[in-house]
Amino acid sequence: MSNTFTVNNPATGETLATITRNSEEEINKALQTGHEAFQSWKKTNAHERSRLLEKWSQLIQKNKLEIATVMTKENGKPLAESIGEVDYATSYIDWYAEEAKRLYGRTVPAHVDGKRLLVSKHPIGLVAAITPWNFPAAMMTRKAAPALAAGCTFIVKPAEETPLTTIRLTELAHEAGIPTDVIQCVNGKGRIVGKVFTDSPLVKKLTFTGSTPVGKALIKASADTVKSVTMELGGHAPVIVAKDADIDKAVEQTIITKFRNAGQTCVCANRIIVHESIVDEFSTKLAEKTKQLVVGNGLDENTDVGPVINEGSYEKIVHQIEDAVTKGAQVLAGAEYDVDENKKCFFVYPTILTDVTDKMEIMHEETFGPVAPITTFSELDEAIKIANNTPYGLAAYFFTNDYRIGNYLFDNLDYGIIGWNDGAPSAAHIPFGGMKESGLGREGGTEGIEPYLETKYLSIGNLID
Ligand code: NAP
């Protein structure tokens, strides 16, 4: 394998950079350095760590447009979305800069006279992170901020499609005063860097965002050194539109959850399950709005939907559309493509499919593209059955103004994140993560710092003679 790789703009095919892959020896050296740095970083006080995180966030904000432009160039998403992602990424740093100061232990009433029982929280050690290409800034800070706040040292390997944003964020962390061996970035093929991370006894925690098959392999590989793992994996989000729903609101929010980042988000709608009495009105309105979305280069001001990340993604999306159409789905919008002659840039026009059935692949496999398949239900329990019929359990959405229906759906949907009349529920201060094969653990919120902490218990005897 070459010791370099190129980063390309998926909208133009332009080569943006050539990056050197770190050798196994270099990665192991970085792990050693991170482990040694942990011995002093863990002793810094929480207020000092908080101040450094605040400074990091401020520097990212100061360079927001530059970072967002790099992100749009390497990932393809519209510039406005990249700017939004920089804000979302710093919101995690801001949140954990505050949480650093709230790593409370507790005093437990003793069962024996004269004893005092104390519980305290301590950083787990060196943390290794592997991040995906779809949110190159936020997936990094969602892991780095709680790790650093807790007193852990941190090393990240970004996806080879989008390393430039992560490299820039790491530089800014150093500029903010966070020591260079406390937060590090290494580059290389996931399966090679991943093996170095999982084999090393110096890595105490592995945190991963990416596909479910890779997540499963990393969990297995972490067993020999009994590492703590956090896994943010794939999803197959259902959107249930009940018969009483505000259809315009449901259409507007479905567009947001479905077509953001060209449908390449783990929480994006993958199955739209609509009550049979309103499906025609909902589908027609959704298709009308979808046809208005402008597809193009994310740097063009008017662009709503950028390219998909690479040829593999493009082929998977086209295959799912063709499979559905062959099996009887109707195309209300899209199912059109734009590929340049060098086969470097892949645009998929936002697609609405109706008459979708359980026999079609799109109802079972993550699409990771701008395709909305619509199916119907008559009874609410049928909608719940369709929604839960997947190994995934990350995000689900439903639209209803009836509190009884809403509460019933909330109680019965097996999903970690649920949006009720809301297509954008994610935020730094809430626990983000999935059930079933969508992952282990949560990121964000008060829950998101726990995985970076060990609990120690002290029993003091003979306080009274
Ligand atoms: P992926 O193939 O799993 O890649 C993600 C990261 O893992 C990349 O950095 C990749 O590095 C690395 N990797 C690949 N093979 C590896 C291996 N054998 N061992 C260790 N690391 C390895 O996923 P993707 O296609 O980039 O991203 C899409 C997936 O991420 C979707 O399934 C999506 O749902 C999921 N996702 C989940 C969340 C969430 O919060 N739950 C958020 C975003 C995305 P290379 O670039 O070097 O291959």
Side-chain angles (χ1 to χ4, degrees):
M1 185 185 300
S2 164
N3 65 351
T4 61
F5 64 97
T6 58
V7 185
N8 302 316
N9 183 333
T12 63
E14 169 203 4
T15 297
L16 300 169
T18 301
I19 305 282
T20 302
R21 291 191 171 107
N22 292 104
S23 65
E24 287 184 38
E25 199 186 344
E26 285 168 338
I27 300 164
N28 271 314
K29 200 163 162 228
L31 294 179
Q32 185 64 38
T33 313
H35 169 71
E36 282 163 19
F38 174 64
Q39 311 315 319
S40 50
W41 178 250
K42 69 181 178 186
K43 293 182 189 143
T44 54
N45 75 58
H47 290 255
E48 172 65 6
R49 295 198 300 273
S50 175
R51 275 192 293 275
L52 288 168
L53 285 169
E54 279 171 13
K55 185 85 199 300
W56 186 25
S57 169
Q58 286 158 7
L59 281 177
I60 296 172
Q61 282 293 328
K62 207 170 139 198
N63 293 280
K64 177 152 70 176
L65 187 58
E66 175 224 319
I67 297 166
T69 306
V70 167
M71 198 191 306
T72 288
K73 284 186 173 175
E74 64 179 354
N75 166 284
K77 65 178 72 177
L79 187 61
E81 283 190 29
S82 294
I83 290 171
E85 186 181 336
V86 177
D87 287 338
Y88 182 54
T90 53
S91 72
Y92 281 98
I93 304 177
D94 297 342
W95 173 259
Y96 286 109
E98 292 301 317
E99 287 297 283
K101 296 180 268 184
R102 301 194 182 100
L103 299 176
Y104 305 131
R106 67 190 199 279
T107 306
V108 179
H111 52 294
V112 173
D113 291 349
K115 277 198 179 192
R116 182 160 293 174
L117 314 182
L118 303 175
V119 178
S120 59
K121 299 286 181 178
H122 302 261
I124 197 168
L126 171 63
V127 173
I130 300 177
T131 54
W133 46 264
N134 60 348
F135 290 95
M139 295 306 101
M140 187 252 200
T141 60
R142 193 155 89 176
K143 299 173 189 317
L148 297 176
C152 298
T153 48
F154 184 82
I155 182 162
V156 59
K157 187 219 95 71
E160 287 206 337
E161 288 87 350
T162 57
L164 304 178
T165 304
T166 311
I167 290 170
R168 187 71 186 116
L169 294 186
T170 308
E171 281 169 6
L172 290 173
H174 298 156
E175 205 176 302
I178 301 171
T180 51
D181 41 12
V182 166
I183 178 165
Q184 304 179 75
C185 175
V186 291
N187 281 291
K189 261 275 150 242
R191 83 190 131 70
I192 293 169
V193 183
K195 180 157 170 33
V196 180
F197 284 174
T198 50
D199 283 354
S200 172
L202 301 180
V203 173
K204 298 300 176 206
K205 174 163 190 76
L206 181 70
T207 172
F208 172 73
T209 297
S211 60
T212 294
V214 172
K216 286 181 183 176
L218 288 170
I219 295 169
K220 283 185 196 152
S222 296
D224 279 347
T225 49
V226 195
K227 286 188 208 317
S228 159
V229 294
T230 294
M231 294 283 146
E232 295 287 358
L233 308 177
H236 204 271
V239 176
I240 297 175
V241 187
K243 66 179 166 192
D244 73 294
D246 175 335
I247 292 181
D248 291 332
K249 173 115 188 151
V251 166
E252 170 206 289
Q253 294 294 307
T254 302
I255 295 266
I256 291 171
T257 168
K258 179 65 255 186
F259 297 118
R260 188 169 60 111
N261 204 1
Q264 301 169 114
T265 81
C266 51
V267 290
C268 79
N270 220 131
R271 290 165 294 154
I272 324 272
I273 307 158
V274 186
H275 192 267
E276 59 190 8
S277 63
I278 55 163
V279 70
D280 289 342
E281 183 183 350
F282 175 85
S283 308
T284 307
K285 285 185 165 172
L286 187 67
E288 273 168 17
K289 291 256 181 219
T290 298
K291 285 178 189 163
Q292 291 165 18
L293 296 173
V294 177
V295 177
N297 185 332
L299 289 180
D300 294 342
E301 219 174 275
N302 296 330
T303 295
D304 298 305
V305 177
V308 299
I309 192 77
N310 56 32
E311 188 169 11
S313 284
Y314 169 77
E315 281 176 354
K316 182 177 175 196
I317 297 163
V318 174
H319 171 77
Q320 287 195 1
I321 293 174
E322 285 175 354
D323 171 77
V325 170
T326 310
K327 292 174 181 163
Q330 304 297 313
V331 178
L332 292 199
E336 288 171 33
Y337 318 99
D338 202 350
V339 181
D340 71 315
E341 58 187 23
N342 299 321
K343 287 198 117 193
K344 281 190 165 176
C345 310
F346 302 89
F347 293 89
V348 177
Y349 284 77
T351 300
I352 306 293
L353 302 174
T354 55
D355 296 337
V356 170
T357 70
D358 191 45
K359 305 237 168 344
M360 301 171 187
E361 279 180 27
I362 201 160
M363 288 299 276
H364 302 282
E365 287 184 22
E366 200 177 15
T367 307
F368 240 57
V371 188
I374 301 175
T375 192
T376 58
F377 72 94
S378 53
E379 301 298 326
L380 204 54
D381 282 332
E382 192 190 342
I384 292 167
K385 201 169 159 199
I386 298 170
N388 286 340
N389 182 25
T390 168
Y392 297 112
L394 187 56
Y397 308 87
F398 55 77
F399 294 89
T400 177
N401 288 329
D402 184 326
Y403 81 94
R404 291 163 305 179
I405 295 178
N407 281 302
Y408 189 72
L409 287 171
F410 178 66
D411 285 345
N412 287 287
L413 288 172
D414 299 331
Y415 287 84
I417 303 162
I418 295 186
W420 177 349
N421 292 342
D422 183 7
S426 185
H429 41 278
I430 58 96
F432 185 105
M435 294 161 64
K436 295 157 63 178
E437 293 188 14
S438 284
L440 291 172
R442 295 291 181 271
E443 292 185 323
T446 48
E447 290 85 350
I449 200 161
E450 276 296 325
Y452 300 97
L453 296 167
E454 286 284 15
T455 299
K456 275 172 101 173
Y457 156 58
L458 175 68
S459 174
I460 309 172
N462 302 323
L463 279 180
I464 304 168
D465 282 328

